[in-house]
Structure formats: structure tokens, C-alpha cells
Amino acid sequence: FHRLADYIVCNSENAKIKRERYFPAYKDKLKVIYNKINIDNMVSEYIPKRDGKTNIVILASYQYLKNPIGMVKAILSMNKDEREGLNISWYGNKNVLKDNTSCYDEVIKLVKYNKLEDIIHFNLQTNNPYEKINESDFVALFSKYEGLPNAICEGMIIGKPIIMSKVSDYDVLVDGTNGLLCDCNDEKSIKNAIVKAKNMTEEEIIDMGLNSKNKANNLFSENVIIEKWISLIQ
């Protein structure tokens, strides 16, 4: 065991030395090329603030790292007026780990105990994710860790404003023109982002969604991706 530990430490140090020695010479050669996003045609109609509410959708599995508990606590920290008119729908797989639904079970109890069933709806995964996105006013993600978040990218290409924690490529995906950012570990930060979204007018939501779509086209469209691959190869 000690020999293995020494080997790991030794190799970690070697990797660090090589990284410090060689990275500066190659950093300009590192390129990020996103995948093309294909979205089926929508059947549902988008109505801004349907039923007089700001409708926020989250598409994420029920894992603690996706932070559903942090989101619920952020809602709990709101006063009555701040909660008024909010409708949050979460869709995801509760069996991420085999026979372990602890995260899902905990958030369901938390919502029921605090009588938030009229505001927060924790649903199982949906077969029509794009329709759920299209019907919503905002697409949100409050994760503590994330790769490139598919739901956020899909929300953008469909033309939705984004509410997102500062994970992954958040600084590329979201700015003040197309969404709101928050700190996943700060319930007040999550609360403020949601309340700000709720207080936006229909016109502001639509404009922000158009900015999302334009940004997504510049990141994920087929022509842009092809050009980036050609440039990389050349």
C-alpha cells in the first residue's frame, strides 16, 4: 500500500512538473468545440407566464450534486409575496443509484412538510423534455458540479432564458442578456436569481429568450461547428 501511495504521489508530482513546463507552449493550441444540438419540432404552444405564473423547468436527475435541496431551501427563504406567482417543475430520474432514492425521498418530504406543493413539483423523468422546455418561461439548473449541461444548451437553442449556477462553461453560456447566474452554495443567491426572474415582464422574458437562441446558434449550429473543425484540422 505504501509503495502504491508513493508511486501515486511521485507520478502526480511528475505530471505537475510536466504541466508547468509544457502547458505555456501549447495553451494556444487547445480548442473547445461543442456538439451540434438537434431539437425536434415543437407541438406545444409557448404562452408567456401561462396561468399568470412564472414557469421554471429543471431537467435533472435526483442527485444531491444537482442541488434540489438547495433550491427548496431558497424558496423557503422567500416571503409570501416573493413566492407568489412561482411555478417550478423538476423532471428527472429518481433511481440514479440502484435502489437508492434518498435524494428524491428527502426533497419530497421537505416540500410536503413545508406545504410547498403548489409551488414546487418534483416529477419523474419525462418522455417529452423539449415540450416541457418550450412551455416554460425559464430553464434552470442549480448544480454543484456539472459537465456541459445538455438541458441548458437545449433550452438556449429552443429560445429560453436561463437560470444557472456557476458551473461548467457558465461564463460562455450565460451572461446578463440571456440569463441569470447564482452561487449553488448560497441559498440567498439562488433566491435572488429566482425572484428576479419572476419579476420580469413578458417582453423581457421573450427578449432574453431570443438572446439565448442567438447565442446558442453561435455556439451549437452545424455551420459554426464545421468551421471550427476545419480550422482545427488546418
Side-chain angles (χ1 to χ4, degrees), residues 14 24 42 46 57 68 75-76 96 101-102 106 116 166 171-172 183 185 199 215 218:
N14 288 339
M42 300 298 157
Y46 171 57
V57 68
I75 303 300
L76 283 172
V96 180
T101 61
S102 58
E106 186 172 344
L116 295 175
K166 295 179 180 180
D171 53 345
V172 176
D183 183 344
N185 295 310
N199 291 333
K215 184 183 280 285
N218 289 330

Side-chain angles (χ1 to χ4, degrees), residues 21-227:
R21 179 184 301 170
Y22 297 117
F23 177 73
Y26 289 96
K27 64 179 181 180
D28 293 334
K29 295 187 177 183
L30 294 174
K31 304 292 181 182
V32 175
I33 302 176
Y34 295 121
N35 292 327
K36 179 178 178 291
I37 296 176
N38 295 313
I39 300 293
D40 298 331
N41 292 329
M42 300 298 157
V43 176
S44 63
E45 178 186 5
Y46 171 57
I47 301 172
K49 295 203 170 188
R50 189 187 300 266
D51 300 324
K53 296 184 177 182
T54 300
N55 298 287
I56 300 172
V57 68
I58 301 108
L59 298 171
S61 56
Y62 292 99
Q63 303 180 68
Y64 289 106
L65 64 86
K66 299 293 184 180
N67 206 24
I69 293 171
M71 185 200 70
V72 174
K73 289 182 177 179
I75 303 300
L76 283 172
S77 70
M78 296 179 185
N79 60 42
K80 183 179 178 181
D81 290 338
E82 289 171 332
R83 294 182 193 176
E84 187 70 29
L86 269 180
N87 186 58
I88 301 174
S89 298
W90 187 303
Y91 296 89
N93 181 7
K94 70 175 183 178
N95 289 295
V96 180
L97 300 175
K98 186 178 180 181
D99 300 324
N100 184 347
T101 61
S102 58
C103 181
Y104 176 80
D105 297 338
E106 186 172 344
V107 293
I108 291 295
K109 288 180 182 177
L110 193 59
V111 166
K112 286 184 177 179
Y113 180 79
N114 291 284
K115 298 180 171 61
L116 295 175
E117 295 100 321
D118 292 338
I119 299 172
I120 306 174
H121 313 280
F122 284 117
N123 309 283
L124 298 183
Q125 61 203 87
T126 174
N127 293 325
N128 300 300
Y130 301 149
E131 297 295 335
K132 301 300 182 185
I133 290 173
N134 191 49
E135 292 168 1
S136 70
D137 296 304
F138 291 84
V139 176
L141 185 74
F142 305 105
S143 298
K144 296 182 178 182
Y145 309 100
E146 196 70 50
L148 185 66
N150 288 333
I152 295 299
C153 299
E154 290 159 355
M156 290 171 64
I157 207 77
I158 290 172
K160 297 298 172 180
I162 303 301
I163 307 171
M164 182 179 175
S165 54
K166 295 179 180 180
V167 293
S168 184
D169 289 10
Y170 74 90
D171 53 345
V172 176
L173 300 173
V174 178
D175 56 44
T177 69
N178 76 309
L180 304 165
L181 295 170
C182 59
D183 183 344
C184 63
N185 295 310
D186 185 344
E187 293 159 17
K188 184 177 179 180
S189 176
I190 296 173
K191 166 195 163 181
N192 289 341
I194 294 174
V195 171
K196 188 172 182 179
K198 192 206 79 167
N199 291 333
M200 287 185 179
T201 65
E202 293 181 10
E203 291 76 16
E204 288 172 331
I205 292 171
I206 291 170
D207 286 345
M208 192 172 269
L210 289 174
N211 290 335
S212 255
K213 190 173 185 66
N214 290 334
K215 184 183 280 285
N217 285 333
N218 289 330
L219 291 170
F220 311 124
S221 68
E222 184 174 337
N223 289 339
V224 168
I225 291 169
I226 289 172
E227 287 175 5

